[in-house]
Amino acid sequence: MKISYNWLCDYIQTSYSVDEIAEILTATGLEVESVEKVEAIPGGLKGVVVGEVMTCEKHPDADRLSLTRVSIGTEELLPIVCGAPNVAAGQKVLVATIGAKLFPTEGEPFVIKKGKIRGQESHGMICAEDELGLGKSHAGIMVLDSSAVPGTPAAAFLQISEDYCIEIGLTPNRTDAISHYGVARDLHAAIRNMVGAKSDQPQLKRPRSKALQISKSMPAISIEVADVSSCPRYCGITLEGVKVGPSPEWMQKRLSVIGLRPINNIVDITNYVQHEMGQPLHAFDAAQIGGNKVVVRKALLGEKFVTLDGVERELSSEDLMICDESKPMCIAGVFGGLHSGVSESTQKVFLESAYFNPVSVRKTARRHGLHTDASFRFERGCDPQITMEALHRAAEMIIEIAGGHAVDEALDLYTEKFASRHVQLNWQRCVSLIGKDPGKEVVKNILNDLEIEVVAEQGDEMTLSVPLYRNDVYREADVVEEILRIYGYNNIEYPQGLKSSLSFAPQPDPEKIQHRASEYLAANGFHEMMSMSLTKSKYVEFLPESERSQSVALLNPLSSDLGVMRQTLLFSGLEAISLNRNHRNADLKLFEFGKVYSKSEDNYNEKKMLSLFLSGSRLPESWNNQQGSVSFQDLRGHLDNMLKVVSIRGAAYHTVEHSYFDDALQVVVGKHVLSVLGSISGKLLQAFDIKTDVWYAEVHWDTILKLQPEKRVSYKEPEKFPSVRRDLSLLLNRSVKYAEIEKLAYESERKLLREVNLFDVYEGKNLEAGKKSYAISFVLQDSTKTMTDQQVDGIMAKIQKSFEEKLGAELRK
């Protein structure tokens, strides 16, 4: 939200600078993100002063140039060569001195330099209005009134103001600060109660309106509210005899500073009051209101309406509309209509001020993709107490600026009034939460400055009446937070001691296990990514058919790109890979920890997953890089090692079919499925515009945690005797899986077999049809003695015999 510094000073006079104010506001919870200087004239006419032409003679070498000597309030006269036809001695003019940077109305900025023109020195420039950015005329230099004093800065003489735009990162709960007056109220409270504040005590000036002059020359427009729950309060007044035209220059400047484009006096006044008091207003051309009646009702299903931007929109039966007797005129609290707004020919205005249900406005704004200043305020909840006050303020300004008068008294339909909110505050709990005793009088002053009234007090108990515009203050803790942010967090001293209690920590610690996995992956070249839990609705069609009905769709999504909760980490990873490849970053190793979501018939499910992605080259590009692209073995190797790091042993791999993959393996420990990994299908790669292989593993992290051993670390004495390795080259049927070989080997020798590893696979043309060759290593070790060749040969013969009998294996010669 943008705030004008000069505008803010209308409500609070203080000697604090704009930078000091920014620090104070940030300390109170209104975080100032930037302070930008705004100049009415670019450059602020710095280096331009009033001068007096003391002498003026013709240039000896140029008919159209004059040699002048100009006084700018110093002892030395400036020699200036001037080409204006109207320059003459005795004139008061504007002079750009050496070093001044000018911003002309047309063309690029330029800096005044000392120079020679046709052999004559020139130490400045006598300016025309277009050269200073003050207008378009270039007929001659600007001649000032004779009362102008040489040396006076041009900005001061012309009364050119400068302002500052303070941009605040407003949190959704701070509806009390969505206006200049709201910010001034917080600033006033902070300065008055600030430790070490300056001696001046600022006064807060509230926007006020005078009594309106009523002229019952014609019937006023009547109002009917058909949906009170969506519009608890609706106020309106009819003004006639207004003259639509440009708004005053001072108003245009203030609106421009906060980024609003001036339109006309009527519309600008509604915007002005909205940003002054925080109450959105809307002005209708009363001549366009059919039946002389305003009706607040829900739209008809499928009803068409053309908004102010010229777009025809189909309305929902949940959209609240401002209508006349026959047609809609405005989407309530969101956007006006094309044909009902104020135009140059408008002479009679119906002015609206209302309180609309925040949920209704928010849903309508999201449904139609309309986000306006009005909806920004209504969605967060306006103050229902100032609805009529803001209406009177705007009506008074319209009469003052655009002329006219009120046809009748303002109408106020406020059937179900909002009850005041009371909160109990216990003094001892307040002190405990703050961490310091600031003093009761200090707290009462803060509450009073925040317009929170102490309605009753008995001992340590206080009953407080909270204003309706503070819709985030419901509990005692909320009140204490308000006190603390004004008192100042920096005024709470650090305690001398620290009190702590031991708390139970689950073992094994899930955070530590995740950190170990992350550290392994990061050490091996992976980069961690983080993506949103919301994803595109169209990704549901890429899910396995059995899972599509389990997707969790948002009832009121911000957009179709954020329409469903993700059921897998795959799609966000493919988005990241596609984005990186488009930015010429093709060699990728990514991982992500995140939750996925699904629903069943009776509940919703949430699971934590780990995703691994490999794509591109195995090693960075180099003249001796002969290892090519990443492969399935790279992915499996990283997954195997990561599982060992997190104490998972005995994982088996089985072939599985999955719609995400062209080829896939399932990783199982006992009856638990840990992961699925493989190469992403060409269909998915095409959908994400990826033109290279992507290897992906999806790990069920909750299962990893479930399988953690109770004692992660165990110690044993290092082996004293050497291990022995033997290799077998086996000819097998292609249907035989490595997992079967590994399992059978350990069953054949349970005591001395330490390790089995597949180190080569051959499926070439030299083999019989339907056959493949596996080269497998076996590591044997006896912890009590050195193994003999006879003992090793006996074990290997036993293993070989098991392979031949149960798997039909043959030794490859």
Side-chain angles (χ1 to χ4, degrees), residues 726 728 730 741-742 744-750 752-753 755-756 776 778-780 792-807 809:
R726 290 287 188 270
L728 291 179
L730 300 175
I741 299 172
E742 186 180 46
L744 189 56
Y746 282 116
E747 288 177 352
S748 301
E749 178 52 52
R750 299 178 184 275
L752 301 179
L753 183 59
E755 186 179 325
V756 181
I776 304 172
F778 301 86
V779 177
L780 303 167
V792 172
D793 290 342
I795 293 173
M796 292 305 300
K798 183 170 59 172
I799 292 174
Q800 180 181 335
K801 184 177 180 182
S802 297
F803 289 162
E804 291 172 349
E805 292 178 354
K806 298 184 179 181
L807 300 177

Side-chain angles (χ1 to χ4, degrees), residues 128-351:
E129 66 175 41
D130 67 325
E131 293 165 335
L132 297 174
L134 296 172
K136 297 182 179 180
S137 174
H138 194 69
I141 59 172
M142 292 180 64
V143 180
L144 308 180
D145 187 80
S146 59
S147 62
V149 178
T152 304
F157 177 78
L158 298 173
Q159 297 182 340
I160 294 174
S161 62
E162 62 181 24
D163 200 351
Y164 293 89
C165 179
I166 304 171
E167 187 158 2
I168 296 174
L170 196 67
T171 53
N173 64 308
R174 292 302 306 276
T175 56
D176 60 304
I178 54 177
S179 66
H180 281 73
Y181 177 74
V183 173
R185 179 172 49 216
D186 253 27
L187 181 62
H188 171 258
I191 292 175
R192 277 174 48 85
N193 297 280
M194 189 166 58
V195 176
K198 295 181 181 180
S199 57
D200 63 325
Q201 289 293 308
Q203 297 299 314
L204 186 64
K205 182 181 177 183
R206 186 179 180 89
R208 297 292 182 185
S209 58
K210 303 174 185 176
L212 298 177
Q213 183 179 354
I214 308 299
S215 174
K216 298 188 178 183
S217 56
M218 58 187 302
I221 292 173
S222 61
I223 301 171
E224 177 188 336
V225 178
D227 192 330
V228 176
S229 62
S230 298
C231 179
R233 188 175 191 183
Y234 191 94
C235 306
I237 190 170
T238 307
L239 307 173
E240 68 168 349
V242 300
K243 184 177 181 181
V244 178
S247 54
E249 185 178 355
W250 64 268
M251 181 177 288
Q252 293 190 37
K253 286 181 179 179
R254 291 198 168 175
L255 295 177
S256 297
V257 167
I258 61 174
L260 294 181
R261 179 177 60 88
I263 298 173
N264 59 53
N265 48 11
I266 307 299
V267 175
D268 290 352
I269 287 168
T270 61
N271 285 332
Y272 185 90
V273 174
Q274 174 177 262
H275 286 270
E276 177 184 53
M277 302 180 68
Q279 172 62 45
L281 304 166
H282 191 74
F284 296 90
D285 186 339
Q288 304 299 322
I289 300 177
N292 226 28
K293 184 177 183 180
V294 169
V295 181
V296 184
R297 62 168 174 83
K298 288 289 180 69
L300 303 176
L301 182 62
E303 192 172 9
K304 306 291 185 182
F305 179 64
V306 181
T307 47
L308 196 57
D309 55 1
V311 177
E312 183 178 76
R313 304 177 189 274
E314 184 172 327
L315 303 176
S316 162
S317 58
E318 295 301 312
D319 294 334
L320 187 68
M321 303 297 295
I322 310 300
C323 311
D324 61 16
E325 278 195 335
S326 59
K327 63 183 183 300
M329 300 187 297
C330 173
I331 302 178
V334 180
F335 211 28
L338 181 62
H339 305 295
S340 60
V342 173
S343 65
E344 292 181 359
S345 60
T346 299
Q347 295 181 347
K348 182 181 175 184
V349 171
F350 176 76
L351 193 61

Side-chain angles (χ1 to χ4, degrees), residues 558-610:
L558 295 175
S559 70
S560 59
D561 285 350
L562 302 170
V564 296
M565 305 290 284
R566 64 184 177 191
Q567 284 174 263
T568 173
L569 302 180
L570 172 61
F571 304 138
S572 55
L574 292 178
E575 285 180 341
I577 291 173
S578 178
L579 178 66
N580 276 275
R581 288 186 60 81
N582 289 339
H583 287 78
R584 305 182 67 81
N585 184 23
D587 303 331
L588 299 166
K589 298 170 81 173
L590 305 174
F591 75 97
E592 178 180 14
F593 285 95
K595 292 186 176 181
V596 298
Y597 309 88
S598 62
K599 66 179 181 181
S600 55
E601 292 182 1
D602 54 351
N603 64 351
Y604 290 88
N605 305 307
E606 183 178 305
K607 296 185 294 184
K608 190 165 187 176
M609 307 292 286
L610 164 65

Side-chain angles (χ1 to χ4, degrees), residues 23 110 132 200 215 219 314 333 337 340 351 372 408 443 446 523 526 578 583 599 609 634 669 707 714 721 764 811:
E23 289 182 12
F110 60 93
L132 297 174
D200 63 325
S215 174
E314 184 172 327
S340 60
L351 193 61
T372 61
D408 205 343
V443 168
I446 291 174
F526 281 80
S578 178
H583 287 78
K599 66 179 181 181
M609 307 292 286
D634 295 306
V669 174
L707 294 176
S714 59
F721 301 98
L811 280 182

Side-chain angles (χ1 to χ4, degrees), residues 103 121 126 180 225 234 270 321 325 362 430 632 641:
F103 295 78
E121 285 195 355
I126 304 175
H180 281 73
V225 178
Y234 191 94
T270 61
M321 303 297 295
E325 278 195 335
R362 182 164 56 250
C430 176
F632 173 77
N641 291 335

